[in-house]
Amino acid sequence: MSTEHAHVITPVRTYVAIFAALLVLTGLTYLVALQDFGVMNTPIALAVALVKASLVVIYFMGVRYNTPLTKVVVVAGFFWLLILFGLTLNDYMTRHWMGVPGR
């Protein structure tokens, strides 16, 4: 069983393109924050943040060229993060019916 892996060198042009994409997405985040989309403000901001985080994980953290096990661990981490966001939003969205003592 061979333990050698081909070491992939990512071209600098790729890093520059990802950096430019992150700058554009940051500008998009700013523009979205200036607009009022009603209840969609938070989902839009989270979607842009998810895209930016994915770019960082895939390219800057080197997951793209890593082993399949590493990719599975990364996907599982995002899956658990989504579960935690879902549970947190479920808790937050069901609190309006609860009375606040003292009011």
Side-chain angles (χ1 to χ4, degrees), residues 18-33 48-49 52:
I18 298 301
F19 179 70
L22 290 173
L23 286 178
V24 169
L25 289 170
T26 300
L28 180 64
T29 302
Y30 175 72
L31 291 176
V32 167
V48 173
K52 290 194 298 187

Side-chain angles (χ1 to χ4, degrees), residues 12-87:
V12 174
R13 186 176 69 199
T14 301
Y15 287 125
V16 171
I18 298 301
F19 179 70
L22 290 173
L23 286 178
V24 169
L25 289 170
T26 300
L28 180 64
T29 302
Y30 175 72
L31 291 176
V32 167
L34 293 178
Q35 302 294 321
D36 184 19
F37 294 106
V39 295
M40 293 302 292
N41 278 345
T42 301
I44 291 172
L46 285 175
V48 173
L50 182 66
V51 170
K52 290 194 298 187
S54 299
L55 287 174
V56 169
V57 168
I58 292 171
Y59 289 99
F60 288 126
M61 295 177 72
V63 171
R64 180 176 183 193
Y65 302 111
N66 223 316
T67 63
L69 179 62
T70 302
K71 293 174 184 175
V72 168
V73 169
V74 168
V75 170
F78 273 112
F79 183 70
W80 280 110
L81 183 65
L82 289 176
I83 289 173
L84 291 175
F85 278 152
L87 292 174

